[in-house]
Amino acid sequence: MKIKKTSLRKSFEDLGKIKVLVIGDLILDEYLIGSVERISPEAPVPVVWVRNEKQSLGGSGNVVQNLSSIGVSGVVFGRIGEDKAGESLEGLLRSHSVAENDLVLLKSKTLPTILKTRIIATHQQICRVDREEVVPLTKEEESSVLNQLEIKLKECSAVILSDYDKGYLTPSLIQSVIRLCNRENKIVTVDPQVSHFFLYQNIHIMTPNHHEAGKALGRKLISDSEIESACREISEKLTPEAMMITRGEKGMSIFERKTDSFYHIPTVAREVFDVTGAGDTVITTYTAFVATGMSIADAALISNVSAGIVVGKLGAATVTQPEIEEALQTLGYLDVNQ
């Protein structure tokens, strides 16, 4: 598989002309970074001397910052709390080029913003502290979301459902969003949750990892033939245009239903430093490049290469256009003569 350099450059130009709507569970990631020099006298646990703190977008927010990193404008639908973490999350979204009128947030007076705090010492995560309450949207809230979505959808080329099963994407909202996207002929892609797995019918593509797909089907998926069988079985139930299963150190597999074609793309990660957010990078880059008119196979190749780049970085990292082009060329996936 090779991508023409002229085609890649044309897609890079077109990325700046499109908008992608991201709908799902917004999460604020917090990192407390330091070192360990002693064990606590209170309990047999390390004492972390915090020297640095940072916050970043997690959950569907990481999809937004991945879009921003490759030059794509995002429209964001999600829920936050009326609290300090919510203010921080909203500020981070704005810092990633999300315009005020493209930020469609439900602000809850009773539910906190989902906050995940990771404590890291000498590049190792010591523990994670989660603060969240999982409460589904009410029917009134769903109706409000759909009314606003119908308006914003007209500006967008594609929609990403980023489902972390935190209450925003209810079963009825998922199905209503997909129906609306199909009615408006918009590409709709899904990073799924196992609990909602067979609700995502009539989409463009779903991108579960092999553990999620296997859990949904009730069996382990290891070999190429097992992956192919799973893709066909899932596709028969959901009728997507394509099915992608990411496979960790084995890369990813893509099934095109119309042509009954499979592509098994090996991993390109040289060193896995942190897998946090790699799935977000996969669905973001794939969706964005397909929205520019790129083929399913070429967009999948770019998403695989992009994931290989981000797992070599700390935290929910992102990838840039120059990094993508350099990696494609280094790995021999770029046809520089065309």
Side-chain angles (χ1 to χ4, degrees), residues 27-149:
I27 297 170
L28 181 64
D29 284 339
E30 180 177 58
Y31 297 87
L32 304 181
I33 304 165
S35 60
V36 173
E37 298 180 2
R38 64 191 180 97
I39 301 299
S40 171
E42 303 165 355
V45 295
V47 175
V48 179
W49 185 17
V50 176
R51 307 305 303 272
N52 188 26
E53 300 180 32
K54 70 172 186 176
Q55 293 181 326
S56 63
L57 294 167
S60 61
N62 189 41
V63 173
V64 177
Q65 68 183 5
N66 270 273
L67 287 172
S68 174
S69 184
I70 59 173
V72 178
S73 297
V75 176
V76 184
F77 277 67
R79 177 174 63 184
I80 61 174
E82 291 188 351
D83 50 25
K84 187 174 181 180
E87 292 175 4
S88 296
L89 201 156
E90 188 171 355
L92 285 168
L93 288 169
R94 294 183 191 280
S95 73
H96 284 89
S97 305
V98 181
E100 185 173 354
N101 62 343
D102 287 335
L103 204 51
V104 186
L105 301 177
L106 286 174
K107 296 184 179 181
S108 175
K109 295 180 182 295
T110 57
L111 298 176
T113 300
I114 299 173
L115 176 63
K116 298 182 181 294
T117 302
R118 295 170 176 86
I119 301 173
I120 297 170
T122 319
H123 303 302
Q124 296 292 322
Q125 187 175 145
I126 303 297
C127 71
R128 193 180 87 183
V129 180
D130 288 6
R131 283 162 278 192
E132 65 182 38
E133 289 183 37
V134 178
V135 178
L137 295 188
T138 65
K139 291 299 180 184
E140 292 75 17
E141 288 172 329
E142 284 186 29
S143 179
S144 174
V145 168
L146 287 170
N147 288 338
Q148 294 175 88
L149 185 72

Side-chain angles (χ1 to χ4, degrees), residues 155-174:
E155 308 170 14
C156 300
S157 302
V159 174
I160 298 174
L161 273 67
S162 181
D163 192 352
Y164 281 76
D165 202 15
K166 301 300 182 185
Y168 188 87
L169 286 173
T170 62
S172 55
L173 183 59
I174 288 168

Side-chain angles (χ1 to χ4, degrees), residues 224-244:
D224 286 358
S225 61
E226 289 170 335
I227 291 289
E228 290 180 8
S229 176
C231 284
R232 282 201 169 94
E233 185 175 340
I234 294 167
S235 294
E236 284 176 6
K237 294 180 179 181
L238 300 181
T239 62
E241 289 184 46
M243 181 72 200
M244 176 192 293

Side-chain angles (χ1 to χ4, degrees), residues 268-282:
V268 298
R270 295 177 180 175
E271 182 180 1
V272 178
F273 188 63
D274 192 337
V275 298
T276 305
D280 296 327
T281 299
V282 167

Side-chain angles (χ1 to χ4, degrees), residues 181-207:
C181 290
N182 288 334
R183 192 187 78 192
E184 298 295 327
N185 293 315
K186 303 294 183 180
I187 296 166
V188 57
T189 63
V190 179
D191 188 2
Q193 268 295 319
V194 174
S195 57
H196 295 152
F197 205 87
F198 292 108
L199 294 176
Y200 311 109
Q201 294 183 317
N202 303 316
I203 58 174
H204 171 77
I205 199 170
M206 181 197 286
T207 63

